[in-house]
């Protein structure tokens, strides 16, 4: 077991996911330095004793492990390759842990750039949403060289409950893409089932209850099935982020020359959902698109 | 609590589902009379003391509750309306419990025919497959008038673990249709996820493991995800029956004027699966269709 107590940590991106994760890591006893595009977002953690870096380059220069938590492939690319970006300050031995959900291709590109300076990349996208981040119970899917994984595993335990070392760099992002395929496909199937029940004049709550007892059981049916019935669409996981993630999946499938027709359809529902102005709602609001399509009564406010 | 011990029971259809169900009911202490289109299928239960009826009409005439377990709407219709069918022998107070998966429309039609003779219909399709039938742990979705439900509930406990009174006659079949929508949609999503992992050169077993720990968790991922990885396609639930059930769903959606695009797509996969000669395999073999589509290596024997 590596002694990680002495590691100096850094965090870039202090949004609803990044903020609690950085806090847990600092509270575990690590010196913490942060940078955020919106400096106000850092105040809460500076007040608790974190240090502020002027640029991502300055931050990269002074820490051992740098956690990155932003929105998309383009954001990660910019923060790494900018004039004052991570790459400019990277040193041999630095490990960048990217908790963002981005493409496997960008991930591998960034890893190559860092490798030229002797630094390492680990993709570690998470599942579990805001609640998972706030309770350090995230599911974390890691792509990293084995030696790097061994070094960061104790750190990841401070923010996640279920860790899986999926494979080498990029494998974590592929696993996250697979996760979003299953989650969106299951959501869509549950939505179609409830729409059929509603259309047939059968109580959809009773149907959900019956299905929970059998082979149709899923965490989505339990949690998001209830949201669909009650119109409880406070996120949770925002539809616009789910849409973004399915865009990454489609891009990956296109690069690999893979046909994923069901995922493509789920992506269309997310497009319609965001297009209808519901992008800030939980992605379980997907059922509202199917209700619209079928002229059924909305449960949304 | 109704005393059901004195009820005379009948069973029509003694296939892989009907046979163990009839046996559990008889072993619970009820006199049992049976009829089957293929008389040899009744031998096992005649040897245990069940009586044989010459026709469905004769069976209906002498029992209080008749369990029906056949394959499709057309079979049920025939067994009810034939010259020597159930209707010909039905008496006031008879309850027919249909454990087959058929359409809600045929169900309501049959119920009306019986009602004219003072007899009752309860649709009680099941989920849980052969294993669920053999261990009396089926999930049963019931459509019946409340008074009829109260009367049959103690009997259903002998064959099922999770009972839900979904609503009036037909509601059980709608719930079963919803169940098949969720099951097939979830299966298809899991298959697409594993196909992406395989196509991206990432270990699909690790991906499944990672997903099981988070919001993508489902009974299908647990059981059928493993089947897909290992090519373990011994049924389980046969693809040709899943195809038949999705046909019922599509027919119901068409009658109601409902669009269910994801379910329609899942139905196409089942068509391709059966068309490829894999109809006798477990329906988790659906992934083989997606592997074919994407030029990936089959796991089937």
């Amino acid at each position: 077991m590596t002694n990680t107590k002495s590691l100096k940590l850094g965090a870039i991106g202090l949004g609803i996911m990044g903020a609690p994760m950085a806090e847990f890591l600092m509270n575990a006893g690590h010196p913490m330095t942060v940078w955020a595009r919106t400096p106000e977002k850092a105040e809460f953690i500076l007040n608790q004793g974190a240090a502020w870096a002027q640029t991502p380059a300055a931050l990269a220069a002074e820490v051992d492990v740098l956690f990155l938590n932003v929105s998309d492939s383009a954001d990660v690319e910019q923060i790494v390759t900018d004039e004052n970006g991570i790459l400019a300050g990277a040193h041999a031995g630095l490990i960048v842990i990217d908790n963002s959900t981005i493409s496997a291709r960008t991930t591998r590109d960034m890893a190559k750039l860092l490798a030229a300076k002797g630094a390492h990349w680990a993709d570690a996208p998470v599942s579990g949403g805001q609640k998972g981040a706030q309770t350090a119970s995230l599911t974390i899917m890691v792509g990293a060289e084995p030696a790097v994984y061994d070094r960061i595993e104790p750190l990841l335990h401070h923010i996640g409950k279920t860790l899986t070392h999926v494979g080498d760099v990029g494998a974590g992002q592929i696993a996250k893409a697979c996760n979003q395929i299953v989650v969106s496909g299951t959501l869509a199937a549950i939505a179609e089932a409830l729409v059929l029940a509603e259309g047939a004049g059968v109580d959809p709550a009773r149907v959900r209850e019956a299905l929970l007892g059998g082979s149709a059981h899923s965490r989505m049916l339990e949690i998001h099935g209830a949201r669909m019935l009650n119109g409880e669409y406070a996120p949770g996981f925002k539809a616009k982020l789910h849409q973004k993630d399915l865009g990454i999946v489609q891009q990956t499938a296109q690069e690999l020359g893979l046909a994923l027709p069901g995922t493509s359809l789920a992506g269309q529902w997310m497009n319609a959902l965001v297009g209808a102005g519901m992008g800030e709602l939980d992605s379980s609001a997907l059922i509202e698109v199917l209700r619209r399509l079928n002229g059924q009564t909305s449960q949304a406010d």
Side-chain angles (χ1 to χ4, degrees), chain A:
Chain A
M1 184 88 178
T2 321
N3 176 12
T4 62
K5 280 288 180 210
S6 56
L7 290 175
K8 291 174 67 179
L9 305 187
I12 291 181
L14 298 165
I16 59 166
M17 299 297 287
M21 288 159 79
E23 203 172 347
F24 278 116
L25 288 162
M26 191 173 75
N27 290 341
H30 295 285
M32 172 65 74
T33 308
V34 302
W35 182 85
R37 206 154 18 187
T38 315
E40 296 76 44
K41 289 192 177 171
E43 275 171 21
F44 82 98
I45 200 163
L46 298 177
N47 290 339
Q48 294 177 62
W52 174 257
Q54 290 303 322
T55 63
L59 201 161
E62 71 179 56
V63 302
D64 300 304
V65 180
L66 196 171
F67 287 81
L68 192 52
N69 221 311
V70 295
S71 290
D72 207 343
S73 304
D75 300 311
V76 169
E77 201 162 351
Q78 196 190 347
I79 287 170
V80 173
T81 64
D82 257 9
E83 196 183 349
N84 293 310
I86 290 171
L87 191 61
H91 55 86
L94 171 70
I95 300 175
V96 176
I97 299 178
D98 183 20
N99 297 121
S100 322
T101 295
I102 69 168
S103 79
R105 192 174 67 174
T106 300
T107 296
R108 293 190 188 109
D109 289 348
M110 297 302 104
K112 271 182 206 156
L113 292 174
L114 283 179
K117 295 192 127 190
H120 309 280
W121 190 274
D123 45 311
V126 304
S127 163
Q130 190 173 358
K131 196 180 162 196
Q134 286 170 343
T135 55
S137 61
L138 292 164
T139 297
I140 313 184
M141 294 153 260
V142 188
E145 296 157 32
V148 172
Y149 182 78
D150 289 345
R151 199 156 159 75
I152 65 176
E153 191 185 14
L155 294 171
L156 295 176
H157 276 298
H158 295 310
I159 55 175
K161 200 175 64 177
T162 314
L163 311 184
T164 308
H165 183 203
V166 184
D168 281 337
V169 172
Q173 296 295 353
I174 293 293
K176 179 66 188 283
C178 294
N179 188 76
Q180 300 306 67
I181 289 173
V182 172
V183 166
S184 60
T186 308
L187 267 184
I190 293 167
E192 290 198 2
L194 297 180
V195 158
L196 175 63
E198 288 167 12
V202 171
D203 183 352
R206 290 281 181 92
V207 168
R208 171 178 163 277
E209 200 186 305
L211 268 53
L212 278 174
S215 49
H217 183 280
S218 66
R219 201 156 293 167
M220 304 305 288
L221 182 61
E222 220 178 303
I223 297 168
H224 297 84
R227 283 168 167 270
M228 290 178 188
L229 290 175
N230 305 319
E232 287 166 1
Y233 300 135
F237 186 63
K238 288 184 182 176
K240 68 176 188 182
L241 291 177
H242 213 140
Q243 180 195 32
K244 185 268 292 181
D245 288 358
L246 290 181
I248 292 170
V249 174
Q250 295 288 33
Q251 183 198 325
T252 304
Q254 193 175 338
E255 286 164 15
L256 293 168
L258 288 174
L260 304 175
T263 306
S264 179
L265 183 60
Q268 302 301 316
W269 301 144
M270 292 297 171
N271 289 350
L273 188 58
V274 173
M278 295 189 267
E280 298 292 328
L281 302 184
D282 186 76
S283 68
S284 55
L286 177 150
I287 193 174
E288 294 299 337
V289 171
L290 286 160
R291 284 183 178 133
R292 280 188 176 202
L293 174 65
N294 287 304
Q296 294 177 329
T297 310
S298 165
Q299 297 298 317
D301 294 334

